């Protein structure tokens, strides 16, 4: 993918993603948009390294990353430092389509909500991977995590395409290897470190959207 947001030749490392999620929270538990987006960039790198069947998924993620980077680097970038400040700014300025898509189809809030839902999938999937046995099937772990989370927000045709892509996932060992951490035991240990961070960022964001009645933004 010739894309400046996620260059193809960059190698994925789980450590890098872990580090970006570590940077995500401010002292008073707000979520830095810059690091959140950087975490997603790292994950997309991983997805790209798995092959072109996942292209339609990474393309959508990259589009959403680009929208958010556009805001971060735009004239009102200072309003987009944290998810909290973004939400306040967009709501106060009437920049969010709350019930149906209209003048603001690509608000930061609705765009980030899509990635946020995908973060729940990631959390569920990585937890399955972490606790799986040697003969565990990544395709099944991935599909179970998806059905429990993101699938509820996707129409039939996307669910179907996603289901087909999952079947192309490498087996557990090969999968752990692409993470570039070391032995399977070391990957499992690092997942154990990464998951609470991902989970905390997810929970904080989820509560924020819930408090503002924005969990169903169109
Ligand atoms: C490792 C295998 C990767 C499987 C990825 C599982 C998620 C499957 C998602 C399928 C999304 C299909 C693409 C289209 C989505 C959009 O319709 C839909 C709605 O957007 P809209 O309201 O703007 O229309 N978009 C979304 O829900 C956002 C999807 C974002 C998916 C990002 C997935 C990144 C996966 C990263 C893999 C990392 C693996 C773990 C490594 C440590």
């Amino acid at each position: 993918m010739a894309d400046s947001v996620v260059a193809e030749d960059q190698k994925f490392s789980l450590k890098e993603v872990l580090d970006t999620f570590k940077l995500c929270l401010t002292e008073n538990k707000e979520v830095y948009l810059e690091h959140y987006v950087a975490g997603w960039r790292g994950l997309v790198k991983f997805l790209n390294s798995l092959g072109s069947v996942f292209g339609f998924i990474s393309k959508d993620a990259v589009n959403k990353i680009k929208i958010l980077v556009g805001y971060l680097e735009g004239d009102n970038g200072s309003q987009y430092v944290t998810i909290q400040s973004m939400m306040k700014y967009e709501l106060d300025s009437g920049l969010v389509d709350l019930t149906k898509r209209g003048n603001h189809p690509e608000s930061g809030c609705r765009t980030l909500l899509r990635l946020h839902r995908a973060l729940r999938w990631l959390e569920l999937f990585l937890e399955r991977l972490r606790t799986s046995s040697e003969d565990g099937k990544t395709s099944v772990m991935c599909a179970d995590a998806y059905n429990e989370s993101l699938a509820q927000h996707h129409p039939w045709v996307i669910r179907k395409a996603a289901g087909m892509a999952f079947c192309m996932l490498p087996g557990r060992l090969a999968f752990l290897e692409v993470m570039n951490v070391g032995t399977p035991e070391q990957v499992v240990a690092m997942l154990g470190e990464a998951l609470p961070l991902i989970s905390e960022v997810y929970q904080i964001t989820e509560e924020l959207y819930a408090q503002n009645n924005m969990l169903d933004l169109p």
Side-chain angles (χ1 to χ4, degrees), residues 80-98:
Y80 286 82
V81 173
T82 64
I83 298 183
Q84 284 78 355
S85 68
M86 168 184 85
M87 202 174 266
K88 181 167 186 332
Y89 167 69
E90 289 196 342
L91 282 176
D92 289 353
S93 319
L95 294 173
V96 187
D97 290 339
L98 293 169

Side-chain angles (χ1 to χ4, degrees), residues 45-138:
K45 245 194 257 176
F46 181 85
L47 197 56
N48 288 340
S49 73
L50 295 181
S52 54
V53 271
F54 301 96
F56 76 105
I57 303 176
S58 86
K59 209 169 158 195
D60 185 69
V62 167
N63 273 338
K64 290 179 168 50
I65 291 170
K66 275 188 179 166
I67 293 172
L68 294 172
V69 169
Y71 289 126
L72 266 171
E73 293 178 352
D75 291 346
N76 296 310
S78 63
Q79 310 282 358
Y80 286 82
V81 173
T82 64
I83 298 183
Q84 284 78 355
S85 68
M86 168 184 85
M87 202 174 266
K88 181 167 186 332
Y89 167 69
E90 289 196 342
L91 282 176
D92 289 353
S93 319
L95 294 173
V96 187
D97 290 339
L98 293 169
T99 47
K100 64 175 186 339
R101 293 187 87 172
N103 295 332
H104 309 288
E106 294 193 335
S107 66
C109 287
R110 72 85 62 191
T111 303
L112 190 124
L113 177 62
R114 271 56 188 178
L115 295 179
H116 167 68
R117 291 169 177 164
L119 197 65
R120 176 69 181 151
W121 161 80
L122 185 73
E123 186 188 350
L124 294 170
F125 172 61
L126 293 183
E127 180 56 17
R128 281 176 164 82
L129 191 63
R130 186 182 76 84
T131 53
S132 59
S133 57
E134 270 174 31
D135 56 357
K137 287 213 172 349
T138 46

Side-chain angles (χ1 to χ4, degrees), residues 200-214:
E200 189 176 18
V201 169
Y202 176 83
Q203 282 310 330
I204 291 174
T205 313
E206 177 76 4
E207 270 159 38
L208 193 64
Y209 273 87
Q211 279 162 8
N212 289 284
N213 283 323
M214 302 211 318

